[in-house]
């Protein structure tokens, strides 16, 4: 999804038009090769229950482990992957990889562990994205649909496209859970929030960044949390970096938190180690 806050700004702008086109072509070619050579993997960031400090959920975030360029962040390739529809094979990889990790976590650590994955609007609108096979893939992996939370952005709720709305409904009907990602940065509409069958609302990091005692952002977060709870949604605050932010959000009744204060996104083995550690500290 095209995020407007600059995180996506791939440095094309100081190139001339022809160089820009060339850079896009190169990136596109590299994405295709990266998919062929299986250079993508998922990192996992814990979602912490703010009251108890326990971890029963995490968000899966894609990383490109490039042999020469190192770890490439999704902001640098998701927009072009969406435009070119390579997001469809990437999205299928994300889904199946998340199922593997879920099976390990549920077997070894916590039988109810839940993973969130980010789903692009392009995956909802492309006929052959593979989304329709997800309930069957979950069943084949012996996992209940509620083991997965699909993170979607607000824009998806208001798209009138029939296929997208049908697929959203059928994912919800299958028992998968839904989270509204980056809440507050798009076309937040109370009316749609009420209609949506979402389970979680994620307050965008930009509100959390500026939260201080008695300021505007605090009032805004308070309003969002109250409203979300009235519509039956649990609230996850993104990008918590300080204990002050954590405590202010807890006072507002925010249910879960995610951010560097708790942990950065980690490769699977380190994430498993973190869970094992936090379990022995319970
Ligand atoms: P998002 O879904 O809103 O994910 C949260 C982003 O915030 C992640 O960036 C995470 O690493 C970062 N973050 C979490 N806590 C903190 C913090 O305390 N401080 C700071 N500075 N950052 C924090 P990441 O992994 O680079 O992903 C960026 C965006 O790329 C995601 O935003 C999501 O929109 C997209 N994305 C990531 N993985 C996938 C994927 O598998 N599929 C699709 N379609 N999009 C993805
Ligand atoms: Mg997300
Ligand atoms: Mg539901
Ligand atoms: Mg987000």
């Amino acid at each position: 999804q095209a995020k407007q806050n600059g995180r996506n700004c791939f440095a094309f702008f100081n190139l001339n038009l022809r160089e820009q086109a060339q850079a896009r072509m190169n990136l596109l070619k590299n994405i295709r090769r990266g998919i062929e050579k299986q250079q993508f993997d998922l990192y996992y960031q814990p979602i912490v229950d703010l009251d108890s400090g326990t971890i029963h959920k995490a968000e899966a975030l894609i990383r490109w482990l490039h042999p020469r360029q190192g770890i490439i962040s999704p902001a640098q390739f998701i927009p072009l992957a969406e435009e070119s529809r390579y997001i469809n094979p990437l999205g299928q990889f994300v889904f199946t990889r998340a199922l593997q990790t879920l099976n390990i976590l549920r077997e070894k650590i916590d039988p109810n562990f839940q993973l969130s994955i980010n789903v692009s609007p392009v995956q909802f609108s492309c006929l052959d994205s593979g989304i329709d096979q997800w309930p069957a893939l979950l069943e084949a992996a012996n996992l209940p649909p509620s083991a997965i939370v699909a993170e979607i952005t607000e824009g998806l709720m208001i798209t009138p496209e029939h296929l997208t709305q049908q697929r959203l409904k059928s994912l919800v009907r299958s028992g998968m859970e839904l989270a509204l990602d980056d809440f507050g940065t798009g076309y937040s509409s109370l009316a749609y929030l009420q209609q949506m069958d979402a389970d979680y609302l994620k307050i965008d990091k930009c509100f959390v960044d500026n939260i201080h005692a008695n300021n505007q952002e605090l009032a805004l977060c308070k309003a969002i949390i109250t409203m979300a709870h009235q519509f039956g949604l649990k609230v996850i605050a993104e990008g918590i970096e300080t204990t002050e932010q954590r405590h202010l959000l807890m006072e507002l009744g925010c249910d879960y938190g995610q951010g560097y204060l708790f942990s950065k996104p980690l490769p699977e083995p380190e994430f498993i180690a973190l869970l094992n550690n936090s379990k022995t500290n319970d």
Side-chain angles (χ1 to χ4, degrees):
Q1 67 258 9
K3 270 198 196 165
Q4 262 79 53
N5 55 13
R7 272 187 268 171
N8 280 342
C9 290
F10 196 66
F12 285 146
F13 38 70
N14 48 10
L15 305 176
N16 70 37
L17 278 179
R18 184 201 296 203
E19 288 168 335
Q20 282 183 33
Q22 190 60 51
R24 280 170 51 96
M25 287 301 290
N26 284 339
L27 181 57
L28 212 53
K29 210 168 60 193
N30 281 323
I31 294 175
R32 177 161 46 76
R33 192 180 307 139
I35 294 172
E36 278 165 16
K37 303 209 166 199
Q38 309 189 0
Q39 293 169 352
F40 294 89
D41 202 6
L42 295 182
Y43 275 35
Y44 299 96
Q45 186 177 38
I47 296 174
V48 179
D49 182 316
L50 288 178
D51 281 334
S52 64
T54 55
I55 303 166
H56 306 287
K57 306 176 193 297
E59 177 172 7
L61 295 154
I62 196 166
R63 295 290 180 270
W64 185 355
L65 311 177
H66 195 280
R68 285 185 315 282
Q69 293 175 52
I71 301 171
I72 304 178
S73 98
Q76 305 210 7
F77 61 88
I78 293 288
L80 197 54
E82 289 180 323
E83 248 179 80
S84 61
R85 302 190 171 194
Y86 282 136
I87 194 68
N88 292 326
L90 286 175
Q92 284 305 93
F93 164 75
V94 167
F95 188 78
T96 50
R97 182 77 185 91
L99 296 195
Q100 287 173 355
T101 300
L102 266 172
N103 267 325
I104 299 174
L105 297 179
R106 287 185 161 229
E107 204 166 295
K108 294 196 175 155
I109 295 167
D110 175 353
N112 296 312
F113 205 90
Q114 200 178 34
L115 281 181
S116 299
I117 56 170
N118 293 282
V119 189
S120 161
V122 175
Q123 291 171 267
F124 278 96
S125 61
C126 286
L127 263 178
D128 57 352
S129 65
I131 280 195
D132 302 318
Q133 276 78 60
W134 286 2
L137 289 175
L138 275 155
E139 204 177 319
N142 250 317
L143 287 161
S146 60
I148 290 275
V149 180
E151 297 199 1
I152 58 169
T153 46
E154 296 163 84
L156 201 72
M157 301 193 283
I158 61 170
T159 167
E161 199 198 31
H162 185 67
L163 181 61
T164 293
Q165 294 307 330
Q166 282 307 105
R167 282 171 152 173
L168 254 181
K169 281 204 197 93
S170 75
L171 283 188
V172 169
R173 232 183 288 123
S174 83
M176 243 169 79
E177 302 210 310
L178 279 188
L180 293 178
D181 206 352
D182 308 328
F183 190 81
T185 61
Y187 327 72
S188 326
S189 155
L190 286 184
Y192 283 106
L193 192 58
Q194 187 187 23
Q195 277 174 35
M196 276 295 291
D197 214 338
D199 301 276
Y200 301 95
L201 180 157
K202 300 190 79 167
I203 300 182
D204 194 72
K205 177 176 183 298
C206 65
F207 300 111
V208 174
D209 277 343
N210 300 311
I211 203 174
H212 293 294
N214 306 316
N215 73 352
Q216 292 271 344
E217 277 74 14
L218 189 82
L220 202 58
C221 286
K222 184 176 180 179
I224 294 175
I225 292 166
T226 307
M227 177 186 73
H229 283 165
Q230 258 153 17
F231 289 134
L233 286 88
K234 299 268 191 213
V235 181
I236 303 170
E238 299 191 280
I240 301 183
E241 293 182 349
T242 69
T243 46
E244 192 201 1
Q245 291 165 347
R246 179 199 175 152
H247 289 298
L248 289 170
L249 286 158
M250 280 175 74
E251 280 167 31
L252 300 181
C254 184
D255 305 280
Y256 300 96
Q258 190 182 338
Y260 294 174
L261 173 67
F262 309 107
S263 170
K264 292 199 170 180
L266 300 170
E268 184 188 80
E270 286 153 54
F271 179 65
I272 291 175
L274 175 126
L275 288 181
N276 278 323
N277 256 320
S278 70
K279 241 176 126 178
T280 37
N281 294 338
D282 267 0

